Amino acid sequence: FVLFLASRNIRSPTPAAIPNYKKSPIRRSKSRWEPLPEVKMLDKPVSASNETGKFGSWDKRVIMLNSSRFPNGVNLIYDNSLSSFRFSASQQKTPSKSAQRPMKRQRIVNGAGLTNNDDDASSDGDKDQSLTAYYSGAMALADNPEEKKRRESRSKRFERGQGHRPDINYFKPKNAGPANLYTKRASALMLSKSFDDSANQAVEDIDWDALTVKGTCQEIEKRFLRLTSAPDPSTVRPEDVLEKALLMVQNSQKNYLYKCDQLKSIRQDLTVQRIRNQLTVKVYETHARLAMEVGDLAEFNQCQSQLQILYSEGIEGCLMEFAAYNLLCVILHSNNKRDLLTSMSRLTQEAKEDGAVKHALAVRAAVTSGNYVAFFKLYKSAPNLNTCLMDLYVKKMRYQAAVCMSKSYRPTVPISYISQILGFSNATAEGNGEKVLTGLDECLEWLKAHGASLITDNTGEMQLDAKASSSTLFMPEPEDAVAHGDSSLAVNDFLARTS
Amino acid sequence: MAYLSMGESHRRITDYLNRFADAINYQDGDSLARLFSVSSDSPSLLSLADALNVFQDANRLIKQSEKFSQFGEVVAPFFRSLQCYRLGNLVDAYGAFEKASNAFIQEFRNWESGWALEALYVIAYEIRVLAERADRELASNGKSPEKLKGAGSFLMKVFGVLAGKGPKRVGALYVTCQLFKIYFKLGTVNLCRSVIRSIETARIFDFEEFPIRDKVTYMYYTGRLEVLNENFPAADQKLSYALTHCCLSKEANIRMILKYLIPVKLSIGILPKKQLLENYDLVEYNNIVEALKRGDLRLLRSALQENEDQFLRSGVYLVLEKLELQVYQRLLKKIYIIQKQKDPSKAHQVKLEVIVKALKWLEIEMDLDEVECIVAILIYKNLMKGYFAHKSKVVVLSKQDPFPKLNGKPVAS
């Protein structure tokens, strides 16, 4: 079978070779890949000597695919270069069913590979859906070398995006001991090497550099249109124009939808021209910050994961700022202690002394010990956009504090005090009367919404009736709950309507 | 290397082939096992490797006789693996070894009894160790270290082969432990779940049937997982099992178990004796234990910082950090005791400012609000019985047992 495939024209599979495309590929309960038909291996030792990356020549890949290493087997009929890449990608992602669930939870924290990878030409980045699109278009597209190149670079990005956990410059260097073998920069180095070393990437010996588009478009403003085929150079903007475009977006007064759209378009233009430099970093940083400000976590995670990769390639940027964001995400959005320990252990001394990172670490300590006073103090003094990330935990923290206080205080606690320590009032003690009232009102609203029992004392001051509240407090249903349960879908829906 | 003649090489290879064939034909599991232990660097295997590299055409020898050729699928790649290993080419050595192992498994499947389990254990072990070394080689060449992950997949297959009704099933726990070691090394501990589920819920497995050595290792790793998830009662149970059943002479193993058991015990209020820490070189816990005894928050924090890297790497940092609350409890109890000595009738009322002062003596600056918060948390988590009167800023302690002991239960979360 090996010989059969090696000799035929790889580009056009015969109808006999793709019987399974007819079947519905969605929701397979078992492995996606048909069991490997018996293949007689040529008696060649598996040598890694002239393989610079995972995806060397066709021979190597066949040997790899045939190796007993892959328990799910492989469909050799799937002849396109994409098959092996996507296979390896899925192999990495789902070594076993049980791995899928923790991966899903991490969706919020590390969007790498699981959310839409940048400029992924397939729809939604969801594996099933992209495979569906692929199956249906397989015959038509297989012949097109442009499409092959698109798919190859797309899947490369897919693969890279979910590589090891971020290996970034501010993490400890290689010689930190054998235990760190799997989190070393070496893997990041390998990733960057394989990306640049185009000659060895080619399935057939296509010169990717020659195929990389060099844009000529001079329009600063450009809507985002997802590419489904090789781009027309006249629609792609060159680097200098993209710089102006970024500036335009940064200074624009328009809303997030507009900016997001423009930025995605800039990102796509950068990607098709394979521009990976400080401009690219700036674009992703800008987009990440904007996304964070409006609470678009999905987009933020996408940008964050791209940034980790760019930083690991040595490109300059606001490493510390985003290191702090990364930490806060791990702390506040996942219960994964192991991830937290890993993130903490991989901070360099320099990172630990950076203000933003220090702040993030202090937030962690406060959250772990349930110290709400410290938490809200840190909230007030948060640098950069750390507040935005903390925002997502504020409700939880306030509720924990309320429950705690109801149990331990007797007989009552002044609402003014609660309002102050739970970060409701922004004004200082002597602040203008108006501001203090707003914070207090907000606090009252919040307490009432959570079932607190309130009384007024004989001086007219509002108090929390601690004893009574300990049995009446409750956590209400989130108001932004959507019918199908996935609130982030609502945001994406909204964004799709770029009118 | 001294000059090795073709004749001598030929003799060594045939010698090995004979021993291999005999081991299988006489079902001599121990002998067979020894024939596979590549990484042990045994003189006999090393000299065989040299012979192979000189002779170069071992395959011809294998095919020459029916006695040998029937195991050709196993031996040929094994020879290749040994050659590569000897030449320091670990990546290829692993690849070939995996191939040989695969062929071995196919044979193993057909053998009725568990006579070859020892050999299987050696193979499982070698698969892991060779993969680790191969990955080190890959990483040092700037490539992605993926062999260990592959080894994990392979061992899952082996597990599948053992998970049946026959006598071979007692081998499953050993393979499980190898898998644990791989997953812990890779940092993919979530993958342990499926294997654990198989061992603990499948009806074919009776935990008591497994060899004691494997049971101890299994409990150690599952205990560590419980520590990671902060299930202290479960962690205590498992790690204690490992400790009590571990052979006393295996000091290194006992030390490893204690490394994780001590933080767990501390979390449920049980302190180790200083002698124990000294005997097993776990002195990094000395100051922590001291801090708990004295209620010295400053000491706890400095101890955590001093050994931060070590604690983070082993994963006990968060567990130790949580001990802060117990340290606070001890500190407040001391204040209470002192007050009781001075004036028993008023002792149960502790002013907030007194606590702030005590902390100041420990060089810890905390404002009233923060201390109030800590007090509230202590009461909330039942480390103190009583209540806090906000207006007067006084902690009013219960007259009976104001500082309940943990009594083997972790602090409420």
Side-chain angles (χ1 to χ4, degrees):
Chain A
F1 209 15
V2 168
L3 296 169
F4 171 58
L5 277 172
S7 62
R8 68 209 299 275
N9 180 358
I10 294 168
R11 292 181 190 187
S12 46
T14 64
I18 39 170
N20 299 305
Y21 290 8
K22 311 291 183 205
K23 284 196 210 149
S24 161
I26 311 171
R27 288 283 151 249
R28 287 169 187 238
S29 54
K30 280 175 65 177
S31 100
R32 231 174 263 291
W33 310 95
E34 295 300 315
L36 179 65
E38 257 302 303
V39 177
K40 261 279 187 243
M41 264 290 291
L42 301 174
D43 192 15
K44 259 192 271 181
V46 180
S47 79
S49 45
N50 52 347
E51 202 178 54
T52 51
K54 228 178 174 171
F55 309 105
S57 68
W58 177 245
D59 293 338
K60 300 289 185 300
R61 194 176 36 253
V62 168
I63 291 171
M64 241 173 57
L65 294 173
N66 192 29
S67 152
S68 53
R69 180 149 63 90
F70 297 91
N72 293 338
V74 93
N75 188 351
L76 263 182
I77 301 167
Y78 218 177
D79 71 343
N80 189 280
S81 60
L82 177 59
S83 69
S84 53
F85 291 123
R86 204 175 271 293
F87 170 81
S88 307
S90 70
Q91 173 68 17
Q92 263 182 303
K93 244 177 54 165
T94 58
S96 74
K97 259 199 180 143
S98 59
Q100 279 179 1
R101 249 161 279 127
M103 282 293 204
K104 272 215 170 93
R105 256 197 307 130
Q106 281 178 37
R107 190 190 165 94
I108 304 170
V109 179
N110 181 8
L114 288 174
T115 54
N116 246 334
N117 253 295
D118 194 38
D119 306 312
D120 186 342
S122 66
S123 56
D124 297 351
D126 177 270
K127 266 183 22 173
D128 279 334
Q129 287 187 302
S130 56
L131 274 173
T132 315
Y134 181 70
Y135 280 127
S136 56
M139 281 293 276
L141 296 175
D143 275 332
N144 185 348
E146 293 287 330
E147 179 58 31
K148 289 176 90 61
K149 175 216 157 200
R150 290 279 318 122
R151 276 192 231 127
E152 165 148 346
S153 52
R154 187 197 324 147
S155 57
K156 260 192 292 191
R157 263 174 273 124
F158 188 61
E159 195 254 317
R160 196 168 304 112
Q162 57 188 331
H164 304 278
R165 292 296 296 203
D167 295 86
I168 316 180
N169 285 342
Y170 52 82
F171 285 158
K172 292 223 177 93
K174 286 196 230 199
N175 49 356
N180 288 337
L181 189 66
Y182 296 96
T183 55
K184 276 186 195 173
R185 257 184 93 193
S187 48
L189 272 173
M190 174 261 161
L191 295 171
S192 56
K193 264 192 199 165
S194 62
F195 185 86
D196 293 330
D197 194 1
S198 49
N200 282 312
Q201 297 301 301
V203 173
E204 307 90 14
D205 287 305
I206 292 181
D207 183 358
W208 296 137
D209 276 325
L211 276 183
T212 302
V213 183
K214 295 230 165 30
T216 57
C217 174
Q218 296 295 315
E219 299 289 319
I220 291 182
E221 199 178 355
K222 187 181 151 202
R223 293 283 309 275
F224 174 59
L225 287 163
R226 208 182 275 288
L227 286 176
T228 50
S229 57
D232 174 6
S234 68
T235 62
V236 176
R237 294 163 287 179
E239 195 170 332
D240 56 318
V241 178
L242 290 172
E243 281 196 26
K244 294 188 196 142
L246 176 64
L247 264 172
M248 183 274 296
V249 170
Q250 284 170 334
N251 296 326
S252 163
Q253 297 302 316
K254 297 197 189 163
N255 66 13
Y256 175 68
L257 284 180
Y258 171 79
K259 290 187 183 178
C260 184
D261 185 62
Q262 292 292 313
L263 282 165
K264 276 171 119 149
S265 171
I266 297 176
R267 279 157 61 181
Q268 185 169 262
D269 281 359
L270 284 169
T271 317
V272 304
Q273 295 175 96
R274 302 179 81 208
I275 300 172
R276 289 170 83 81
N277 55 17
Q278 285 185 335
L279 171 64
T280 321
V281 163
K282 276 201 211 125
V283 170
Y284 279 106
E285 285 177 349
T286 307
H287 200 170
R289 291 192 194 106
L290 283 171
M292 180 45 54
E293 275 169 8
V294 302
D296 183 357
L297 259 193
E299 197 64 55
F300 174 78
N301 282 324
Q302 244 190 67
C303 295
Q304 174 77 293
S305 51
Q306 287 297 316
L307 278 170
Q308 315 290 32
I309 299 167
L310 290 165
Y311 291 149
S312 73
E313 291 172 14
I315 306 175
E316 279 177 25
C318 304
L319 269 72
M320 294 300 153
E321 180 187 341
F322 282 83
Y325 297 155
N326 197 29
L327 264 173
L328 284 172
C329 272
V330 177
I331 298 159
L332 302 174
H333 296 285
S334 78
N335 221 356
N336 193 327
K337 304 264 164 40
R338 194 164 180 108
D339 282 347
L340 178 57
L341 288 162
T342 318
S343 298
M344 282 172 71
S345 68
R346 287 160 64 211
L347 288 172
T348 60
Q349 196 52 41
E350 186 201 339
K352 281 189 238 187
E353 283 161 17
D354 174 79
V357 174
K358 265 205 232 177
H359 181 267
L361 287 170
V363 171
R364 183 212 63 79
V367 168
T368 315
S369 56
N371 189 332
Y372 45 86
V373 167
F375 182 85
F376 285 101
K377 270 203 196 147
L378 288 163
Y379 186 80
K380 279 196 192 125
S381 66
N384 302 329
L385 293 173
N386 288 8
T387 22
C388 295
L389 280 158
M390 289 175 78
D391 269 335
L392 305 160
Y393 201 80
V394 160
K395 287 198 187 129
K396 210 168 166 183
M397 203 53 166
R398 279 181 179 154
Y399 184 71
Q400 272 180 27
V403 170
C404 177
M405 287 195 281
S406 302
K407 167 122 192 262
S408 3
Y409 283 70
R410 293 286 182 273
T412 58
V413 195
I415 306 293
S416 55
Y417 180 71
I418 297 179
S419 165
Q420 182 219 322
I421 58 165
L422 293 187
F424 279 104
S425 75
N426 297 323
T428 61
E430 306 123 39
N432 68 67
E434 209 182 304
K435 259 203 172 156
V436 172
L437 261 161
T438 320
L440 202 55
D441 286 337
E442 236 187 276
C443 179
L444 273 168
E445 283 280 319
W446 186 88
L447 284 168
K448 282 188 202 155
H450 289 75
S453 305
L454 305 167
I455 54 175
T456 322
D457 70 6
N458 37 23
T459 65
E461 228 193 305
M462 298 262 358
Q463 302 269 348
L464 174 81
D465 182 343
K467 191 162 183 189
S469 297
S470 59
S471 48
T472 58
L473 277 171
F474 69 95
M475 190 64 140
E477 287 290 311
E479 319 104 35
D480 51 358
V482 187
H484 44 67
D486 186 351
S487 53
S488 69
L489 268 178
V491 176
N492 286 337
D493 212 18
F494 189 39
L495 283 173
R497 290 185 261 126
T498 49
S499 49
Chain B
M1 183 176 77
Y3 170 70
L4 188 56
S5 71
M6 285 298 268
E8 173 62 18
S9 309
H10 181 284
R11 189 195 66 77
R12 287 185 195 172
I13 299 172
T14 349
D15 185 58
Y16 178 91
L17 288 169
N18 274 313
R19 277 187 284 145
F20 192 94
D22 288 343
I24 294 187
N25 292 328
Y26 296 119
Q27 298 197 340
D28 183 354
D30 289 336
S31 300
L32 187 62
R34 275 192 294 273
L35 295 173
F36 278 113
S37 57
V38 174
S39 69
S40 67
D41 289 339
S42 71
S44 65
L45 280 178
L46 284 179
S47 69
L48 172 65
D50 290 336
L52 287 166
N53 281 325
V54 166
F55 197 83
Q56 284 298 326
D57 194 12
N59 286 347
R60 183 169 57 84
L61 284 183
I62 297 174
K63 291 193 191 126
Q64 255 172 15
S65 148
E66 174 68 27
K67 184 182 182 190
F68 307 148
S69 63
Q70 56 177 315
F71 308 118
E73 300 272 305
V74 180
V75 180
F78 175 75
F79 278 172
R80 263 204 316 279
S81 170
L82 195 56
Q83 282 176 267
C84 293
Y85 178 82
R86 186 67 167 130
L87 296 172
N89 187 345
L90 272 309
V91 178
D92 291 342
Y94 172 76
F97 192 88
E98 204 194 287
K99 188 147 187 275
S101 308
N102 210 13
F104 177 84
I105 298 294
Q106 303 311 320
E107 293 293 320
F108 179 83
R109 270 191 149 122
N110 302 326
W111 296 329
E112 286 294 314
S113 74
W115 70 264
L117 273 177
E118 275 305 314
L120 187 76
Y121 293 159
V122 169
I123 286 179
Y125 174 83
E126 293 292 328
I127 282 276
R128 177 177 65 87
V129 169
L130 289 175
E132 280 177 21
R133 292 174 62 170
D135 274 354
R136 250 177 273 162
E137 188 179 285
L138 285 170
S140 65
N141 293 334
K143 297 188 205 156
S144 172
E146 21 133 85
K147 296 296 180 196
L148 194 57
K149 210 172 1 153
S153 307
F154 180 80
L155 286 181
M156 276 304 279
K157 244 179 42 174
V158 176
F159 183 87
V161 169
L162 292 171
K165 288 208 190 119
K168 293 182 211 157
R169 69 182 187 277
V170 295
L173 204 61
Y174 182 86
V175 176
T176 304
C177 292
Q178 293 301 316
L179 277 167
F180 282 164
K181 292 186 191 200
I182 291 179
Y183 293 147
F184 268 79
K185 188 119 200 198
L186 288 173
T188 55
V189 290
N190 48 302
L191 295 177
C192 296
R193 233 194 307 178
S194 70
V195 183
I196 293 174
R197 217 174 332 162
S198 303
I199 293 283
E200 292 185 1
T201 61
R203 264 184 257 156
I204 39 166
F205 292 131
D206 178 3
F207 194 71
E208 294 314 311
E209 277 181 342
F210 293 120
I212 192 77
R213 161 197 70 173
D214 298 336
K215 284 195 277 196
V216 169
T217 312
Y218 180 82
M219 283 301 197
Y220 167 74
Y221 280 105
T222 48
R224 275 184 66 178
L225 287 174
E226 300 286 6
V227 174
L228 265 178
N229 295 330
E230 294 182 5
N231 293 333
F232 297 128
D236 185 20
Q237 182 226 345
K238 295 189 174 160
L239 290 171
S240 296
Y241 179 100
L243 188 65
T244 46
H245 290 84
C246 183
C247 178
L248 274 173
S249 63
K250 308 272 187 202
E251 287 193 4
N253 289 349
I254 295 194
R255 181 176 185 277
M256 279 164 74
I257 299 173
L258 283 173
K259 194 158 77 140
Y260 293 94
L261 186 56
I262 288 173
V264 171
K265 290 284 194 196
L266 289 176
S267 302
I268 57 176
I270 299 171
L271 274 57
K273 291 209 171 72
K274 194 161 184 185
Q275 197 56 49
L276 180 72
L277 296 178
E278 248 140 68
N279 287 345
Y280 288 100
D281 188 28
L282 288 165
V283 292
E284 61 264 27
Y285 291 125
N286 263 336
N287 282 345
I288 300 194
V289 175
E290 219 22 64
L292 274 170
K293 282 195 193 147
R294 301 209 297 240
D296 188 341
L297 190 64
R298 175 182 47 182
L299 187 59
L300 177 72
R301 286 185 179 169
S302 72
L304 277 175
Q305 200 181 18
E306 211 179 293
N307 299 299
E308 192 182 49
D309 286 337
Q310 194 182 31
F311 291 149
L312 280 173
R313 258 184 294 124
S314 62
V316 298
Y317 185 89
L318 296 175
V319 174
L320 293 171
E321 201 187 38
K322 285 221 163 89
L323 297 172
E324 247 193 34
L325 278 180
Q326 285 168 250
V327 175
Y328 274 119
Q329 185 204 38
R330 182 77 192 137
L331 180 65
L332 263 69
K333 186 170 185 179
K334 274 183 149 176
I335 297 175
Y336 168 73
I337 291 171
I338 293 172
Q339 282 189 187
K340 213 173 182 181
Q341 285 172 347
K342 282 194 182 161
D343 183 357
S345 62
K346 292 233 187 81
H348 65 286
Q349 289 179 359
V350 182
K351 292 199 184 135
L352 208 59
E353 54 192 24
V354 173
I355 305 175
V356 175
K357 202 195 283 185
L359 286 168
K360 253 206 192 110
W361 286 340
L362 285 170
E363 292 175 353
I364 296 180
E365 296 286 334
M366 279 173 89
D367 64 23
L368 272 174
D369 285 339
E370 251 192 280
V371 180
E372 191 170 319
C373 177
I374 299 291
V375 164
I377 294 174
L378 283 169
I379 298 174
Y380 176 62
K381 298 206 171 180
N382 286 320
L383 284 166
M384 277 200 318
K385 277 220 202 112
Y387 66 86
F388 182 74
H390 176 79
K391 217 168 181 180
S392 46
K393 300 271 182 222
V394 171
V395 184
V396 180
L397 295 164
S398 156
K399 299 247 171 88
Q400 270 179 338
D401 192 25
F403 296 95
K405 291 207 158 178
L406 286 176
N407 276 335
K409 288 214 192 96
V411 175
S413 56

